[in-house]
Amino acid sequence: MDIPLARGKYLLERALFRGTRTTIFSAWQSNLDRTVWIELGHRELPIRHRSLSGLESRGLPRIYELGWDEERGPFAVLEPLTGRSLTERVLLSGRHIGLVEVAFLGQELLGHLDVLHDAGRTHAEIDPDHVWLPSRRGGVRLAFHPLQDELQPGVAIRSSPYHAPEQLRPGAGVDLRTDLYRLAATLYFALTGAPPFAATDAARLNAQILGGELTPPSRHGSFGRDVDDFFARALSPDASDRFRSVQEMARGLRLAALFHDYESSADGS
């Protein structure tokens, strides 16, 4: 491919992720001899990434540069992510992740969200594809994928078992509780190997999410009431019934894992 950008400073090599409004490419930065990711394609890019560029968190991708190309418009130069997504980790291995590891994963991701929320930002797209696990050393990363069109309630192409109920309601806003909901849905997948809502039909899936028709984790494995209760609260269709902060959800996750471990030890004794 090797398409020049910014007067040859970058060479676009191949498309990695395509959204409805932007695309992320793997690219070569010639002046620094390094691989980067470049997102381009929409006028909202500078607005989106400018608020991320000053964040100090190893869990969020660094923004190297925001620029303008005469032919392709605004672009953002991003730190490339290594490793693989949580989706790949679970599906390629053919097995889900244990509760203790899920608890550690959740604590780390909640820390990244805390940085994001302190900066006045929400992610609003967290799902297993946005969680990147390191191939060797390093921590878990929370990716930002290409910009998509705004969600239109009931449209099948945008239906996802990780959408929060408020994202399916016309005119409803998103806030930090939306991120916590989507993170809980992602942890549910990591723990059970299945999404929290299983309908394949778009209308039925949306109805399950809006109605809170959650399949308890104990249906997928030997998890106790505390684990079921944690996810029932975290995935409540009513945002006011969910965890109200990163810290509260982190505490709830630790307690669920602790009580499950205690009950498992007691049963085995």
Side-chain angles (χ1 to χ4, degrees):
M1 187 175 181
D2 288 352
I3 298 175
L5 186 75
R7 299 182 179 180
K9 182 178 179 180
Y10 303 101
L11 291 176
L12 303 182
E13 297 174 336
R14 60 190 177 92
L16 298 173
F17 310 102
R18 294 187 184 275
T20 54
R21 291 190 288 174
T22 65
T23 301
I24 292 180
F25 295 86
S26 174
W28 181 254
Q29 185 174 356
S30 57
N31 64 322
L32 294 179
D33 290 333
R34 67 178 180 181
T35 296
V36 295
W37 286 3
I38 291 183
E39 184 174 7
L40 55 84
H42 197 274
R43 63 181 180 275
E44 291 183 13
L45 269 177
I47 300 173
R48 181 198 199 193
H49 288 298
R50 192 172 290 118
S51 59
L52 296 173
S53 59
L55 297 183
E56 294 294 331
S57 173
R58 292 183 178 180
L60 300 171
R62 294 172 60 190
I63 313 298
Y64 291 141
E65 180 184 351
L66 296 173
W68 179 274
D69 182 79
E70 293 178 357
E71 294 185 14
R72 295 175 179 82
F75 65 88
V77 183
L78 315 173
E79 175 188 8
L81 296 178
T82 59
R84 57 182 178 174
S85 71
L86 179 60
T87 300
E88 294 172 315
R89 160 69 170 78
V90 172
L91 296 184
L92 291 180
S93 67
R95 59 187 179 85
H96 50 79
I97 300 173
L99 180 59
V100 173
E101 187 178 350
V102 166
F104 278 111
L105 174 66
Q107 300 291 332
E108 195 165 357
L109 290 169
L110 284 165
H112 302 336
L113 279 182
D114 201 26
V115 173
L116 198 61
H117 293 165
D118 280 348
R121 282 293 310 272
T122 55
H123 190 290
E125 296 179 345
I126 300 170
D127 62 22
D129 287 338
H130 285 80
V131 174
W132 279 65
L133 308 176
S135 53
R136 295 179 182 176
R137 293 184 177 180
V140 176
R141 311 295 297 278
L142 189 55
F144 284 85
H145 281 184
L147 282 168
Q148 303 282 357
D149 288 321
E150 293 301 316
L151 178 66
Q152 298 298 318
V155 177
I157 194 171
R158 293 302 317 278
S159 295
S160 163
Y162 303 98
H163 278 140
E166 55 269 24
Q167 292 180 295
L168 301 175
R169 298 186 183 113
V174 300
D175 57 25
L176 63 87
R177 293 172 299 181
T178 305
D179 280 345
L180 297 182
Y181 180 101
R182 293 190 64 123
L183 177 55
T186 298
L187 295 178
Y188 182 105
F189 168 79
L191 183 65
T192 67
F197 303 97
T200 55
D201 173 76
R204 179 62 188 138
L205 176 60
N206 288 351
Q208 286 183 342
I209 294 172
L210 291 169
E213 299 174 26
L214 173 69
T215 301
S218 56
R219 298 275 185 89
H220 295 281
S222 56
F223 304 111
R225 185 183 64 188
D226 293 289
V227 175
D228 283 352
D229 288 348
F230 169 82
F231 283 102
R233 180 179 180 186
L235 297 174
S236 171
D238 187 342
S240 64
D241 291 335
R242 298 178 209 152
F243 295 104
R244 293 166 293 182
S245 67
V246 163
Q247 292 74 21
E248 188 177 32
M249 183 167 164
R251 184 165 55 252
L253 182 57
R254 286 195 301 270
L255 289 174
L258 178 65
F259 282 120
H260 173 78
D261 186 57
Y262 173 79
E263 290 169 358
S264 298
S265 299
D267 290 341
S269 60

